[in-house]
Amino acid sequence: MTPTPEARTGDATLGKAADENFPVAPFFLPRAWRDDLMAVYGFARLVDDIGDGDLAPGGSDVRHLGLEPEQGDDRLAVLDALEADLHRVFAATGDPRHPLLRGLRPTVRRRALTPEPFLGLIEANRQDQKIRRYGTYAELAAYCELSANPVGRLVLALTGTASPDRIRRSDAVCTALQLVEHVQDVAEDLERDRIYLPAEDMERFRVTESDLAAPSAGASVRALIAYEAQRASELLEEGPPLVGSVEGRLRLLLAGFVGGGRAALGAISAAGFDVLPGPPKSTRTRLLREVGTVLSRARGER
């Protein structure tokens, strides 16, 4: 059977899950959890694709949101339309327009989710259209509070395991994972005229924007990347206690998130902290080893 245009719209977005640093909805989870995680991932990926200008060609996403295809280049307008559609997910009547948001509604109702985490993701991408440089780490951490931390909170909500301590640790892990992406994607971000390395750190290591545009990193850039990677690594230290606080398959899932971040940092280190030619890629062997390390440490945290 030939997929409908709606199905193809959703499939193109969900298919990007395979490119993430960590497993989004691995096979060992209960089917209901996998479905809910993919529904949330689909929304988060769609928001990022709008903010980055990476929507699939043809304008189908824009049309689903009630806009004309020529409005697709107005990212703020598309984000506004997405927010309006998100409110339809939580409304008592009426249906969302975009197929990914229609797919999200059963998850929202089944798990009694609230709009706030989803709205945070939209606001982070609005911020991306207006703010392209960050002066301090505190400013960048505030951005991560919108762009990354809601995802971890949603995972805890989906699995019914949210608590103040777990949320605190999850926020640290999610911020770390966002920082890892920023370090990996320095060259790609610069092509979009964005820099997620705090200006205060660049000044400390005497790194200029032109240094970041070079084909490969010099000593000062490598030192800066090593510094940012260490910051992410320290935040990931909240991972084993978080993993150790839950049981069963959720423990494996969270270990996958934390291990994925650790494996990505290991790949960055193995590349000599030269991320300018492109994101250093971790191997499956490294990922499995790091997940095992996280699980081992988690048992000691109980």
Side-chain angles (χ1 to χ4, degrees):
M1 181 180 295
T2 302
T4 65
E6 280 198 2
R8 287 197 296 269
T9 297
D11 289 346
T13 302
L14 295 174
K16 297 181 180 182
D19 297 327
E20 302 293 346
N21 280 331
F22 45 82
V24 173
F27 71 92
F28 57 77
L29 293 178
R31 177 62 183 268
W33 281 16
R34 295 202 309 271
D35 290 346
D36 288 340
L37 287 167
M38 287 304 296
V40 168
Y41 173 80
F43 174 85
R45 185 70 264 170
L46 177 62
V47 178
D48 282 351
D49 286 349
I50 293 171
D52 290 339
D54 285 340
L55 291 175
S60 60
D61 290 297
V62 176
R63 285 195 296 271
H64 281 307
L65 293 173
L67 301 177
E68 296 300 322
E70 57 267 23
Q71 293 177 275
D73 291 334
D74 187 343
R75 299 178 191 179
L76 288 172
V78 181
L79 288 168
D80 287 346
L82 181 66
E83 181 173 333
D85 212 30
L86 176 66
H87 287 301
R88 296 184 189 100
V89 172
F90 290 90
T93 59
D95 291 321
R97 293 173 172 172
H98 196 286
L100 287 173
L101 275 75
R102 285 201 292 277
L104 178 63
R105 174 181 265 182
T107 292
V108 163
R109 292 182 171 176
R110 183 164 53 245
R111 305 298 182 183
L113 303 181
T114 63
E116 287 75 18
F118 301 99
L119 291 170
L121 296 173
I122 293 175
E123 190 56 35
N125 279 271
R126 284 201 184 100
Q127 188 166 311
D128 276 335
Q129 311 313 309
K130 304 171 186 177
I131 300 174
R132 298 183 177 273
R133 307 289 189 276
Y134 290 86
T136 67
Y137 173 67
E139 293 172 1
L140 186 62
Y143 168 75
C144 294
E145 179 69 24
L146 297 171
S147 67
N149 299 2
V151 175
R153 295 183 179 209
L154 282 167
V155 170
L156 294 176
L158 289 175
T159 57
T161 55
S163 71
D165 187 61
R166 286 181 182 135
I167 289 172
R168 177 183 64 81
R169 295 186 189 279
S170 172
D171 284 353
V173 169
C174 289
T175 291
L177 294 176
Q178 181 77 85
L179 296 180
V180 171
E181 283 195 15
H182 291 164
V183 169
Q184 287 177 312
D185 296 338
V186 169
E188 179 181 326
D189 290 335
L190 189 60
E191 288 179 1
R192 294 182 167 129
D193 192 28
R194 295 177 186 164
I195 296 178
Y196 294 102
L197 305 173
E200 62 182 4
D201 296 344
M202 291 177 62
E203 181 177 353
R204 173 180 176 180
F205 288 93
R206 299 182 181 179
V207 170
T208 66
E209 292 193 17
S210 60
D211 293 328
L212 299 180
S216 61
S220 59
V221 172
R222 291 173 189 250
L224 171 62
I225 296 302
Y227 178 78
E228 304 299 343
Q230 179 60 30
R231 174 178 276 154
S233 179
E234 291 171 1
L235 287 168
L236 279 177
E237 286 300 302
E238 294 290 351
L242 174 64
V243 172
S245 74
V246 299
E247 300 291 341
R249 299 178 186 183
L250 178 58
R251 176 176 288 199
L252 288 176
L253 176 66
L254 298 185
F257 294 160
V258 178
R262 287 170 54 94
L265 287 173
I268 292 167
S269 177
F273 301 102
D274 185 3
V275 296
L276 298 189
K281 296 297 184 182
S282 175
T283 64
R284 180 174 177 81
T285 299
R286 184 189 294 272
L287 172 60
L288 293 175
R289 184 171 64 246
E290 293 292 356
V291 170
T293 298
V294 172
L295 288 170
S296 177
R297 290 185 55 191
R299 284 193 290 270
E301 296 284 350
R302 298 185 66 185

